[in-house]
Every structure is written in C-alpha cells, then in structure tokens.
Amino acid sequence: MKKGIYSIVMLLALMATALTSCSDDEVVKTPLNAPTLAEGIKTVSSLAFNWNAVDGATQYAYELRDPDGSLVLGNMTSATSMIATGLKDNTTYTLTVWAYAAVTGTKTTSPVATITATTNQIVPLGNPVPEAAPSNGGITISWPEVEHAAYYAYSYTVGDETVEGTTETNSVTIKGLPVGEYTIYITAISTDEAYSNSETIALTFQRAKAEVWRMTGNYNSEVLGQDFACDIVAYDDGSYSIEKLYGSDDKLEFSVDGNSELVIQNAYSVDAPYYYVQAGDYTLCLYIASGYSAWEGNRAAGGVWFYAYLYDSDSNYLGGGYDYMTWGDTEEGMTIDDLCGEYTETTNCYDFTIDFTNWTEVTDQVSDVTITKTGDNTVSIDNFYGWEDTFTATVDMDARTITVDVKSDWGGYYTFADYSDATKAVVATFDEEGTITFNNWAAWYNGYQYTYEGAESILTKK
C-alpha cells in the first residue's frame, strides 16, 4: 500500500518537474520592424509604391483606400513593391503595409506603416488659335500646332448640311463654299490619358469671291462720246466687275442671268428696272430690262453693254444712251495645239483609296501627265493622278476650259467626276501660260466620294 502511494507521488513530482521545465523554455516573440514606405512613379490613373525588405519577414500585406476610406485594393505579396491602376485623377489615396513573420520564429507581425500619394491631374490641351486665309479658290484655316495633340476635329455648316472631319495636320482647306459668312469649330484631340481635349474654338470667317481672270478693255460712253480704259474682272462665284468706271476708282459689279442679261449687284439705290451706280463725277442710272443689257464672251475676248441715263456731279441730266465695253481679240491667242505636250501634275487632297480605314493626306504629289490632241477641239489626258488611265476631254479655247468626260472605270473601280455629283463632268481651267487647274474633282465609288472635300491638281507644262 505504501509502495503504491509512493509511486503516485513520484509521478506527480516528475510531472511537476516537467511542467516547470516547459515554463522555463517558453519563447517571447517580438514584432518585426515596420516597413519604410516610399512613393514611386505616378500617372493620372496609377500609383506605384515600394518599401524596404524587413528582416525576418516572409510576406507583406497592403491595403489602398480612397479619400472616403473605402478599400480600393488589398492583397498579400512577397515582393517589396506594388502598383495600383484604374485610379481617379488628382485624388489622394492612403496605403498601409505591414510585414508577417514565420509562425515558428521569434518574431510576430510588424506595426502598420502608412503613406499617402496623389495621382496626377489631367492637363487640358492648349486651345487652337485659328485664322483664315484665301487659298486657290478656297479657304485655308490654320493654327499653330498644339503640343501633345494627336489630331484635330473640326466642323462647319453649309446651308442645312453640317460637315465634320479630322486632320492630323494643323490646317484644313475648304473648297466649294458659296460667298458668305461661316463659322468653323476646331478641337485639339488627345489620345494620352494625361491630357484632355482642348476647348472647342470657334472661328467666324468670310468666304469672299476670288479673282479668276482680269482683262483690260475699252469702255465707251455714248452720251459723252468718250472712251475710257477699264478692266473687266471675273470672279470664282460667277460674277464680274468693270473697274476704273468712267476713269474713276468706282466699279460696276454684276452677274449674268440665263438670258445673258445683267443683274446689278452694287447699286446704291434701286427702283427696278432702274439701278443707280456712282462712276466718279457721274451718276449712272442703268435701265436693266429685257433687251436693254447683254453679255457675251470670255477671258479671251468679249463685250458687255447696257442702257444708261447719265447725270453729272450737280445732278444735271446729260442724256441717255448705250455704254459698251469690249476686250480681247479672238483672232490671236492660244490654240489647242499649244495645250498639248508633257506636264508635271501636282495634287493636294485627302484620299480614302490609299488606306480604306483612314483619310490619307496627299500633299504636293507629283505625276507625269501627257495631253494629246485627238480632234479640232478634243484631247486625251494620260496618267492623271498617276493612275495610268486615259481621259477624254473637250477644249473651249474661248472660255479657257477643258471639260473632262466622266470616267466610270478609273483605276478599274472608281468614277472620275465633280465632287458635287458623280454624273457631273470636271471642268478644268487654263491660263495664257498654259497652266491647267483641276478643282473639286473626286474619285467616286458606290455613291461616295473617296477624295475628301474635292481635290486640286495643277498641271504645269514641262
């Protein structure tokens, strides 16, 4: 009995000794050092952070929160850096990072380290500063290049139609505008997230008529029985003016209707059919009624006449009679043979046939063109725009025009015609030096123009 009690006591003693030994060997863990955080590269939508490697750390935890304290991103990593993307611009975020130790080691989780960083602010592109200038019968809108702009968007309205487009250059040429006032809107466009589009800038400009040709002729006043040297000027809107009227600085501006009769444009007083025009020291009261005015001719030669009542500077009536102006000489000048030969063609346009996904700007493209006489008033034109095809055309030497037949298989696929209508012939003009100008031509396909806003080609004889 005593022996059994002794055995139990010894067992309890041994257990106590063992427990005492365990308590003496217990490890007291200390926290890891907190990471030291630093901000890295940032953009308008991303932040980068890094921190030092903490001795004894096996991995790191991080949390990124927005200004409201909402969790944006959280994760574990064995790396000592992280990048957050898809953030808001110009926004301050808070990052917390802490280190974890091995479970069996002498270290425990570090304190939390905190850092704040702000994403970059999106910068608006600078605004275009456009200006307008006449350009070969059109209007060129240009502006200094906007830094960081990928391209420019523009729009303008003609009648009821709004025309929209883009350009990678800092200019756009608009052709075919009727005379009048227009407003174009231009925006610099960014494709870089660091920049936003510019403000849309409006430019209001005038499409003024441009001089096409000018000839000096003789002006006769029947009432005065006197001749004056005057200039007849033709404009690209189809109107005309007689300048140096009665030897003065005044002019008579007019257009011509379908009956070849005058339509007066600059009368200071109108009581139809009477139109009052100043002519230096004289006042002309033009009687513009059927059969009392007429126009005929072209740049080479022609005449214009009308009935006029004449008054002097004191408003004394001097009488009525016909005033005539004539110019040119149909017996002299160029012939169709003078037009034939080798030419250097220079073309400017926006072309969709080069890249069917984008408009390609064609600037001063050079081609070798040959014009050959095929009849008394017809020619062939070879290799226009470098497409190695042949056009047929009719020449009017008096009007200084070359009317090119519509070609429906140009390049095998396209129709060569006027930009306004796929069934309308292109009418080129030429001057006395033989320089030929093709304006507003287009390559049509399936009802669409593949040369944007009409192309311009100038042929200079070699």
Side-chain angles (χ1 to χ4, degrees):
M1 182 66 178
K2 288 181 178 180
K3 185 176 180 180
I5 294 173
Y6 175 78
S7 297
I8 294 173
V9 171
M10 288 299 291
L11 180 60
L12 293 172
L14 289 171
M15 292 177 63
T17 300
L19 290 171
T20 302
S21 298
C22 288
S23 178
D24 290 343
D25 293 339
E26 184 177 358
V27 177
V28 178
K29 293 188 176 185
T30 58
L32 294 172
N33 292 327
T36 300
L37 308 183
E39 180 183 346
I41 296 173
K42 61 182 178 180
T43 70
V44 296
S45 63
S46 67
L47 291 171
F49 299 94
N50 58 78
W51 53 87
N52 63 303
V54 176
D55 290 340
T58 58
Q59 57 185 350
Y60 305 90
Y62 60 83
E63 290 182 347
L64 185 71
R65 296 182 180 273
D66 64 17
D68 296 329
S70 299
L71 182 65
V72 175
L73 184 65
N75 209 343
M76 301 281 291
T77 181
S78 59
T80 56
S81 64
M82 59 84 65
I83 298 176
T85 59
L87 306 179
K88 297 179 181 178
D89 72 289
N90 195 31
T91 302
T92 300
Y93 293 85
T94 301
L95 178 72
T96 56
V97 180
W98 60 96
Y100 284 107
V103 175
T104 59
T106 60
K107 295 292 184 179
T108 188
T109 304
S110 75
V112 172
T114 302
I115 189 173
T116 60
T118 304
T119 52
N120 292 339
Q121 183 173 6
I122 296 176
V123 179
L125 292 178
N127 295 329
V129 183
E131 58 183 19
S135 175
N136 294 323
I139 298 291
T140 294
I141 311 297
S142 60
W143 54 91
E145 183 178 353
V146 176
E147 188 176 10
H148 303 298
Y151 61 95
Y152 307 89
Y154 63 88
S155 66
Y156 58 91
T157 300
V158 182
D160 295 330
E161 179 185 4
T162 297
V163 179
E164 298 180 334
T166 61
T167 176
E168 293 182 1
T169 65
N170 51 320
S171 68
V172 59
T173 298
I174 306 171
K175 295 182 177 180
L177 291 178
V179 172
E181 182 176 272
Y182 298 88
T183 299
I184 188 170
Y185 300 90
I186 303 168
T187 308
I189 306 296
S190 171
T191 55
D192 185 339
E193 68 170 5
Y195 301 93
S196 60
N197 297 343
S198 73
E199 297 177 22
T200 297
I201 302 301
L203 173 68
T204 298
F205 61 92
Q206 295 288 335
R207 158 65 167 108
K209 57 188 179 183
E211 184 175 315
V212 177
W213 55 261
R214 173 187 295 261
M215 291 289 288
T216 298
N218 182 72
Y219 186 102
N220 176 265
S221 168
E222 183 178 15
V223 174
L224 295 179
Q226 185 177 349
D227 291 333
F228 301 91
C230 289
D231 287 349
I232 181 75
V233 182
Y235 298 94
D236 62 355
D237 66 343
S239 66
Y240 302 87
S241 69
I242 297 175
E243 299 190 350
K244 305 176 186 176
L245 192 61
Y246 275 63
S248 71
D249 292 332
D250 294 317
K251 65 177 68 175
L252 173 63
E253 298 177 352
F254 62 94
S255 59
V256 180
D257 66 16
N259 296 318
S260 297
E261 296 180 349
L262 273 58
V263 178
I264 307 302
Q265 296 180 337
N266 68 325
Y268 68 81
S269 179
V270 177
D271 184 14
Y274 300 97
Y275 296 79
Y276 292 84
V277 177
Q278 196 65 40
D281 293 332
Y282 300 95
T283 295
L284 292 175
C285 174
L286 308 182
Y287 183 70
I288 304 300
S290 179
Y292 285 85
S293 69
W295 158 278
E296 62 179 357
N298 49 59
R299 177 175 185 167
V304 57
W305 55 267
F306 45 85
Y307 195 87
Y309 299 100
L310 190 63
Y311 298 83
D312 65 16
S313 58
D314 296 323
S315 298
N316 296 312
Y317 176 61
L318 302 179
Y322 286 98
D323 282 9
Y324 292 85
M325 182 181 179
T326 57
W327 65 92
D329 186 350
T330 57
E331 300 301 321
E332 299 179 0
M334 293 178 62
T335 67
I336 191 170
D337 296 294
D338 296 324
L339 281 179
C340 297
E342 303 293 326
Y343 287 81
T344 298
E345 173 205 311
T346 303
T347 295
N348 291 278
C349 66
Y350 284 88
D351 190 336
F352 204 73
T353 70
I354 299 172
D355 176 359
F356 293 115
T357 60
N358 291 289
W359 289 100
T360 300
E361 183 178 16
V362 176
T363 304
D364 294 334
Q365 175 180 300
V366 174
S367 304
D368 294 322
V369 174
T370 302
I371 297 180
T372 306
K373 182 178 178 180
T374 58
D376 291 340
N377 65 338
T378 57
V379 296
S380 64
I381 303 173
D382 294 306
N383 197 42
F384 185 83
Y385 199 43
W387 280 16
E388 300 181 354
D389 275 339
T390 299
F391 294 154
T392 58
T394 302
V395 179
D396 186 330
M397 296 303 302
D398 291 334
R400 295 288 197 265
T401 60
I402 302 175
T403 302
V404 183
D405 296 338
V406 173
K407 184 174 179 62
S408 60
D409 59 347
W410 186 33
Y413 301 97
Y414 303 95
T415 296
F416 180 81
D418 189 88
Y419 180 78
S420 65
D421 188 338
T423 64
K424 182 179 179 181
V426 174
V427 180
T429 60
F430 58 90
D431 59 23
E432 294 178 355
E433 286 72 39
T435 299
I436 304 171
T437 301
F438 288 75
N439 272 325
N440 298 326
W441 62 264
W444 287 81
Y445 180 77
N446 200 27
Y448 294 95
Q449 307 101 320
Y450 276 57
T451 43
Y452 187 67
E453 289 189 345
E456 177 187 72
S457 299
I458 296 177
L459 278 62
T460 305
K461 203 166 189 180
K462 295 182 180 181

